[in-house]
Amino acid sequence: MKRFIGFIKKEYYHIFRDRRSLFILFGMPIAQILLFGFAITNEINNVDIAILDHSKDATTTEIINKISASKYFSVKQIIEKEADIETVFQKGHIKAVLNFEKDFSKNLIKEYNATVQIITDATDPNTANTISNYINAILQNYQKNLNKDVTIVYQITPETRMVYNPELKSVYMFVPGVMTIILMLVSAMMTSISITREKELGTMEILLVSPLKPIQVIIGKVFPYIFLSIINAIVIVILGIFIFKMPVQGSLFLLALESILFIITALALGILISTVSATQQTAMMISLMGLMLPVILLSGFIFPISSMPIPLQIISNIIPAKWFIIIIKGIMLKGVGMQFIWKETLILLCMTVFFIALSVKKYKIRLE
C-alpha cells in the first residue's frame, strides 16, 4: 500500500511539473466555457431586415416602428418593388423582408384581415425559422393591442407555455453540453497522453513488471486526474451559475456524484485509448478527432437524437456523453432525483467497468 501511495504522489509531481498539461487541463476548459457560452447562441439580436411597403399607411408605419424598436431587428433598407427582394438577399446582409400588401390598413378595417408576407433567407434554416417566429410574435402582440376593446365571438387564442426554460435562453442548452464535452475530451485526452508518454519513454514496461499489479498501475495513473477533473467540473458549474445565470434546480450533491462518475468513465475511456496508441500524437488524435465529432453530433447536445436515422440512434447509445447530458439537464433544469436518472447512471457505471476491465486485460496481454 505504501508503494502504491508513493506511485500516486509521483504522478501528482509529474503533472504539476508539466505546464503544457496544466494548461490543457485548466486553461482550455475555462476558455471554452466562456467562448461557447457567449459566442454560440440560437437567439437573435439586431438582425438586419428590409421593408417592402405597398400600402404606406399609418398602420404599416406603426407596425414597422414597433418591429424596429425591438432589440431583435434593425430595419436597414426600404425597397420599392418585389424584383429587388432577390437582390437584397444576394448581397447577404439582409436576413428577412417584410412585404406589406396594398391597402393594408383599408383591408384591416373593412375586411378584418390584412396580409404581410415574411420572406426569410433560408440558407440557415434554424435562423430563418427563429426570425419568422419572432416577427410573428411581434405581429400577434400588435394585433392583441388593436383588438383589446373589440369583442370577437368564437375567437380561438392559442396559448404557449414553455417549461424549464420559459425565456428560451440558449445558455440553458449550451452550458450542460459544453460541460459534458470538456469533461469528456479533457479527461480522456489527459489519461491517454499520460500513459502513452510512459510508453514512449520506455518506463511503462518497467511499471508493468514492478511489484504493482496492472490494476494498481492504471488506478494510480487515473487517480490524480479524477481530482483535477473534479476541480474542472466545479469551475464550469460556478461559471455557469454566476456568469450565465444557469439554474441548479436539483441536488448539488447528486450533481457532484454524477459528475464524478462521468469523469471516471471518461478517464477509463482515455486509458482504453492509450492501449491502442503507441505515441502521444496518436493518442491525442484519437482523443480529439475520434471523440469530438461523435460527442457533439451523437450526444443530443445540439441535434435531437430522435430526429436522427435509426442506425445513428443505435450508435448514440454507446456514447457516454449522451447519458450524462440527460442526467445533467435533469438535475440542473428539471430538479429531478435519482429515481428519474438511475437508468442513465447504471449505463455509465457499466461503461466504466467495461472500459477498465478491457484496459486491464490488454495490459495483462502486453505484460505476458
Side-chain angles (χ1 to χ4, degrees):
M1 189 63 185
K2 189 180 293 185
R3 188 183 290 114
F4 178 63
I5 294 173
F7 177 66
I8 292 177
K9 286 182 179 179
K10 187 270 292 183
E11 286 299 313
Y12 272 111
Y13 292 145
H14 188 73
I15 291 169
F16 285 112
R17 281 199 301 264
D18 189 347
R19 293 184 179 179
R20 183 180 62 177
S21 297
L22 287 176
F23 173 75
I24 294 173
L25 195 61
F26 293 113
M28 285 180 61
I30 294 175
Q32 286 177 331
I33 190 70
L34 292 174
L35 181 63
F36 274 75
F38 285 118
I40 299 181
T41 176
N42 56 11
E43 300 165 359
I44 62 171
N45 286 291
N46 296 316
V47 174
D48 293 341
I49 64 172
I51 303 295
L52 174 57
D53 189 358
H54 294 286
S55 184
K56 294 185 174 65
D57 53 45
T59 304
T60 58
T61 302
E62 188 176 356
I63 293 174
I64 293 169
N65 289 338
K66 191 174 184 65
I67 291 173
S68 181
S70 74
K71 67 177 182 178
Y72 308 114
F73 301 103
S74 177
V75 177
K76 288 294 184 181
Q77 194 170 346
I78 303 295
I79 57 180
E80 298 299 328
K81 55 185 183 296
E82 293 190 8
D84 294 332
I85 295 176
E86 186 175 356
T87 304
V88 298
F89 278 138
Q90 287 175 343
K91 291 180 180 178
H93 301 296
I94 300 298
K95 299 300 180 183
V97 174
L98 266 65
N99 184 4
F100 292 90
E101 68 174 0
K102 190 177 180 180
D103 298 325
F104 185 94
S105 182
K106 181 180 177 181
N107 292 339
L108 190 63
I109 294 171
K110 288 189 175 181
E111 301 176 9
Y112 305 103
N113 184 39
T115 303
V116 53
Q117 187 179 23
I118 304 170
I119 308 168
T120 57
D121 180 359
T123 52
D124 185 343
N126 292 331
T127 302
N129 185 54
T130 304
I131 290 172
S132 178
N133 290 338
Y134 276 48
I135 294 176
N136 275 319
I138 294 173
L139 293 175
Q140 289 293 326
N141 181 261
Y142 175 79
Q143 181 179 306
K144 182 180 178 181
N145 292 333
L146 198 65
N147 293 330
K148 62 183 178 182
D149 296 323
V150 179
T151 302
I152 301 176
V153 183
Y154 300 119
Q155 182 180 8
I156 300 174
T157 305
E159 183 177 325
T160 303
R161 180 170 175 260
M162 302 291 179
V163 294
Y164 306 126
N165 186 9
E167 297 178 4
L168 296 178
K169 292 184 177 180
S170 58
V171 71
Y172 287 14
M173 168 188 172
F174 286 111
V175 167
V178 172
M179 179 177 176
T180 303
I181 290 175
I182 290 173
L183 291 180
M184 184 78 185
L185 295 182
V186 171
S187 300
M189 184 173 61
M190 292 307 297
T191 46
S192 63
I193 292 175
S194 171
I195 292 181
T196 49
R197 184 192 298 119
E198 299 278 5
K199 289 160 70 174
E200 279 186 346
L201 297 174
T203 53
M204 192 62 191
E205 305 298 332
I206 297 173
L207 287 174
L208 291 174
V209 297
S210 68
L212 292 172
K213 297 178 180 179
I215 186 65
Q216 289 179 312
V217 173
I218 291 174
I219 292 174
K221 298 293 289 185
V222 168
F223 187 84
Y225 293 106
I226 295 176
F227 175 73
L228 297 172
S229 295
I230 289 172
I231 296 176
N232 255 336
I234 293 171
V235 170
I236 293 169
V237 171
I238 290 174
L239 287 174
I241 293 173
F242 291 102
I243 294 183
F244 301 114
K245 309 303 179 184
M246 183 76 186
V248 181
Q249 304 289 356
S251 167
L252 279 173
F253 179 72
L254 181 59
L255 177 62
L257 286 181
E258 296 291 349
S259 298
I260 292 171
L261 174 59
F262 181 67
I263 287 168
I264 295 173
T265 305
L267 292 172
L269 181 57
I271 294 291
L272 185 59
I273 291 172
S274 72
T275 64
V276 297
S277 306
T279 64
Q280 295 182 64
Q281 187 176 8
T282 304
M284 185 175 290
M285 287 294 292
I286 295 175
S287 300
L288 286 177
M289 303 304 296
L291 291 180
M292 182 176 287
L293 285 179
V295 167
I296 292 176
L297 299 177
L298 299 178
S299 65
F301 166 35
I302 297 177
F303 309 105
I305 295 174
S306 59
S307 301
M308 298 178 186
I310 297 298
L312 289 182
Q313 292 186 36
I314 295 172
I315 294 172
S316 71
N317 291 325
I318 64 174
I319 307 295
K322 169 190 174 180
W323 306 108
F324 184 63
I325 286 179
I326 294 173
I327 291 171
I328 194 172
K329 284 186 175 180
I331 295 173
M332 296 184 79
L333 298 179
K334 298 180 181 179
V336 302
M338 181 59 79
Q339 68 270 27
F340 294 100
I341 55 173
W342 67 268
K343 291 181 181 178
E344 291 80 8
T345 303
L346 184 60
I347 290 171
L348 282 181
L349 190 59
C350 291
M351 285 184 174
T352 305
V353 173
F354 174 75
F355 293 151
I356 293 175
L358 193 57
S359 300
V360 171
K361 182 179 179 181
K362 284 187 174 291
Y363 279 118
K364 280 184 177 179
I365 292 173
R366 180 186 295 272
L367 189 59
E368 292 172 357

